[in-house]
Amino acid sequence: MTEARGSAAPPARHTPGTPCWVSLMVHGPAATQEFYGSLFGWEFVPGPQQLGPYVRALLDGQDVAGIGRLPPDRHLPVAWTPYLASDDIDLTAESVRLCGGTVGVGPLDAGDAGRLVIGSDPSGAVFGVWQAAAHLGTSVAGVPGTPAWHELLTFETVSVAKFYETVFGCEGEPVASGDLDYVALHVGGRPVAGLHGVGHALPRDRGPHWMTYFEVADVTASVRLLTDLGGHVLVPPHDSPHGSVATVADPEGARFSLIENPH
């Protein structure tokens, strides 16, 4: 992670290249809603149904994330997927292909909400692209239960950083810290996401993938609640320069991280 932090009142429209939404596709949406509703205090309302049953998660009436049912004919991982904002999703999709990535879904109209793409970068990590219309994306940050950071865990950062820089117009800034292979992606002069090259430390059952950090008030208490709800602890709570962090998985195996008091 780096020093990027959201504010309680993010801009109404997300700047192109910034993470603007995060979505989870699962086999059992009802049980998943119950899990995250209990863990984060989310409430749910219907969302665009273009990829099947889908709900928007709300916190105090503001959009946070989405949960949908995995289409049986699409081979997508059970994973939290960040969506990066675009003002021209057709152009972005073409850029993904030209820069060595793959477009798996879309560009697809999601009713009057906007248009989406689900693709993968050259290393195989899955991400989304969102061109907002009626639905602008996540509208609250900086409080428990909201996304605090998105980080790509990959083999090495050099080539994949060029991909995100070219496709989304981000600026990659390497973090100088010993032999750490880390690049912060900046948009408009502020860090919005991170790329972490971990080499062979990537889990054998997962290739390169994006990890979403959700803010919580108390990591230890949240981990205890998560296990009571049927989730799993992958990396127990530990101190980091950005707050106490734990890596966990929900009952269907979707991995995410919890972070306390990020700064």
Side-chain angles (χ1 to χ4, degrees):
M1 291 185 63
T2 184
E3 297 296 332
R5 283 281 61 82
S7 66
R13 180 171 289 274
H14 294 266
T15 305
T18 62
C20 63
W21 188 242
V22 62
S23 188
L24 174 64
M25 305 296 281
V26 296
H27 299 289
T32 298
Q33 290 175 50
E34 186 174 342
F35 172 83
Y36 286 102
S38 299
L39 183 63
F40 293 140
W42 292 349
E43 298 177 339
F44 300 93
V45 296
Q49 308 292 306
Q50 275 66 25
L51 287 178
Y54 193 84
V55 295
R56 290 163 29 230
L58 306 181
L59 194 63
D60 295 328
Q62 298 190 77
D63 282 299
V64 176
I67 296 174
R69 185 191 301 276
L70 271 172
D73 60 334
R74 298 198 189 274
H75 300 288
L76 299 172
V78 177
W80 281 103
T81 301
Y83 282 69
L84 305 181
S86 171
D87 281 345
D88 186 338
I89 204 163
D90 296 289
L91 179 61
T92 301
E94 184 62 23
S95 297
V96 168
R97 296 187 186 96
L98 289 173
C99 293
T102 302
V103 174
V105 177
L108 178 70
D109 288 323
D112 62 356
R115 303 183 72 211
L116 68 88
V117 155
I118 300 174
S120 57
D121 66 27
S123 74
V126 175
F127 63 91
V129 185
W130 181 250
Q131 181 178 339
H135 175 62
L136 297 177
T138 302
S139 57
V140 59
V143 296
T146 61
W149 186 245
H150 301 280
E151 186 169 282
L152 174 65
L153 298 174
T154 188
F155 294 111
E156 54 79 29
T157 62
V158 174
S159 59
V160 77
K162 291 178 181 176
F163 171 83
Y164 288 98
E165 290 167 359
T166 304
V167 173
F168 293 102
C170 307
E171 293 183 7
E173 292 195 11
V175 174
S177 177
D179 58 357
L180 179 69
D181 181 12
Y182 199 101
V183 172
L185 295 179
H186 289 240
V187 172
R190 68 182 186 93
V192 298
L195 312 177
H196 190 187
V198 296
H200 297 295
L202 273 174
R204 290 192 174 186
D205 59 334
R206 296 282 317 264
H209 61 280
W210 281 93
M211 173 75 72
T212 295
Y213 288 72
F214 289 98
E215 181 170 342
V216 294
D218 184 324
V219 162
T220 301
S222 294
V223 164
R224 191 180 306 120
L225 174 59
L226 173 133
T227 55
D228 289 344
L229 294 169
H232 309 282
V233 179
L234 303 177
V235 180
H238 59 282
D239 291 333
S240 82
H242 308 280
S244 184
V245 176
T247 303
V248 297
D250 68 19
E252 284 206 21
R255 303 176 185 209
F256 57 101
S257 290
L258 303 173
I259 183 165
E260 177 182 330
N261 297 324
H263 59 269

